[in-house]
């Protein structure tokens, strides 16, 4: 992913293969080698949905309603909750400068 300024407030978009787009979606951020704990998850939303993939989005940056990410490199994780499955998928590295 392209670097994001720690001063910027913007949506982060993460492609996900397989969901229909009606499922609940959450995003977590960990260090590069970490796995998310339950407290790390933040509600996200679907941006676009096609037959091949969906794109989750979450607001990051300073201010209310956004996930504040200080400078560093984070691994994004996406959790999709349906009636039967709850996959947790790595969403790539997010450099914050």
């Amino acid at each position: 992913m392209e670097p994001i300024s720690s001063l910027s407030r913007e949506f982060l978009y993460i492609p996900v293969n397989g969901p229909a787009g009606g499922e609940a979606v959450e995003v977590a951020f960990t260090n590069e080698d970490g796995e998310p704990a339950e407290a790390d998850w933040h509600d996200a939303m679907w941006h676009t949905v096609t037959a091949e993939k969906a794109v989750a989005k979450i607001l990051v940056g300073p201010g209310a309603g956004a996930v504040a990410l200080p400078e560093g490199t984070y691994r994004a994780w996406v959790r999709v909750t349906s009636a039967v499955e709850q996959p947790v998928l790595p969403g790539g590295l997010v450099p914050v400068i």
Side-chain angles (χ1 to χ4, degrees):
M1 292 186 191
E2 292 294 317
I4 299 171
S5 168
S6 63
L7 304 175
S8 181
R9 180 182 170 97
E10 59 187 88
F11 281 105
L12 177 67
Y13 299 90
I14 305 168
V16 181
N17 292 329
E23 306 89 348
V25 62
E26 300 165 287
V27 174
F29 299 96
T30 64
N31 63 38
E32 292 180 59
D33 298 322
E35 291 186 344
E38 192 60 36
D40 294 329
W41 293 104
H42 304 277
D43 289 337
M45 61 190 92
W46 294 113
H47 175 63
T48 56
V49 179
T50 67
E52 295 82 33
K53 68 178 180 182
V55 177
K57 72 177 184 177
I58 189 163
L59 190 61
V60 296
V67 178
L69 297 175
E71 290 183 10
T73 300
Y74 301 88
R75 181 167 306 282
W77 296 85
V78 178
R79 180 165 73 178
V80 179
T81 302
S82 71
V84 177
E85 297 181 306
Q86 188 180 51
V88 174
L89 309 165
L93 295 178
V94 181
V96 179
I97 56 174

